[in-house]
Amino acid sequence: MFDVRKKLVIGVAVAVTLILSGCAAATPATDSGSSSGSSSAAEASFNDADVTFAQMMIPHHEQAVEMSDTLLSKDGIDAPIRELATQIKDAQQPEIDQLKQWLGDWGAAETSMPGMDHGGGMMSESDMTALTEAPDAEAGRLFLEQMIIHHEGAVVMAQSEISDGKNADAIAMAETIVATQSDEITVMKDLLAGS
């Protein structure tokens, strides 16, 4: 009788231990699945192409915002060019913020390696100085010429992300960049042709 009770107690203890350990093992899987909110969706799946895209596009976009600010600080700029510069600035600043957030989520440095080419279309210091010092009458035309080259570089960078990237959100942003900046290139070329 004692042996039967002893075996029963041991059996129950083993069963409880197995059940509890099973629950404990299952808990992290359940937690990790339920905690994968919007931020971990960005973290979930990325590769080197996504990181490079973000690292390169941040300074590229920052320069576009700087170019737009330079133009908008001038008087006598034609309204359609002024509106375009405002549109570029308003679109690209939120993208800069998002790209920086992704790099933080991915544990990647915001700045790329020294000497890394930030993509075609980046203006040189002399290009930026030329825009800053351009008389108001010439600044609009120069802005359009420079921004066409700048946008073309961004489109190439975004197309690389679409073909090589892994993160769905980053690829979606790249697709938006290709679409919007291609449209803006057409508008800028039309403005130049009409000037």
Side-chain angles (χ1 to χ4, degrees):
M1 180 106 173
F2 175 74
D3 286 340
V4 173
R5 280 190 187 166
K6 188 174 180 182
K7 287 179 182 176
L8 185 59
V9 169
I10 292 171
V12 169
V14 168
V16 168
T17 302
L18 288 173
I19 290 168
L20 290 176
S21 66
C23 289
T27 301
T30 305
D31 287 348
S32 66
S34 64
S35 67
S36 59
S38 58
S39 68
S40 64
E43 297 171 32
S45 168
F46 69 94
N47 62 14
D48 288 345
D50 298 312
V51 172
T52 300
F53 168 70
Q55 288 174 330
M56 291 173 62
M57 196 59 79
I58 288 169
H60 205 272
H61 272 16
E62 286 173 340
Q63 189 177 66
V65 170
E66 182 184 352
M67 291 165 70
S68 298
D69 281 338
T70 299
L71 183 81
L72 292 168
S73 70
K74 295 178 178 288
D75 296 320
I77 304 298
D78 290 342
I81 301 174
R82 182 174 288 280
E83 288 167 14
L84 179 69
T86 302
Q87 175 182 312
I88 290 168
K89 182 179 173 180
D90 290 348
Q92 295 197 20
Q93 186 58 56
E95 289 179 345
I96 292 167
D97 297 339
Q98 181 62 75
L99 290 161
K100 289 180 177 183
Q101 177 64 49
W102 286 337
L103 287 175
D105 290 344
W106 299 336
E110 187 178 308
T111 53
S112 53
M113 297 297 289
M116 178 186 246
D117 179 12
H118 290 290
M122 286 290 282
M123 297 295 109
S124 66
E125 271 189 51
S126 61
D127 292 330
M128 296 298 286
T129 300
L131 180 60
T132 301
E133 295 178 355
D136 295 350
E138 295 175 22
R141 178 192 53 77
L142 184 57
F143 172 81
L144 294 173
E145 290 171 349
Q146 289 181 339
M147 194 61 81
I148 287 169
I149 295 167
H150 203 267
H151 271 24
E152 287 170 344
V155 168
V156 170
M157 290 163 57
Q159 287 169 334
S160 293
E161 168 62 13
I162 292 165
S163 62
D164 301 333
K166 184 177 181 183
N167 184 269
D169 293 335
I171 292 168
M173 179 186 286
E175 290 170 342
T176 298
I177 289 170
V178 169
T180 59
Q181 296 200 23
S182 294
D183 288 346
E184 288 170 351
I185 288 168
T186 301
V187 169
M188 290 188 283
K189 287 180 175 178
D190 289 346
L191 287 169
L192 276 175
S195 62

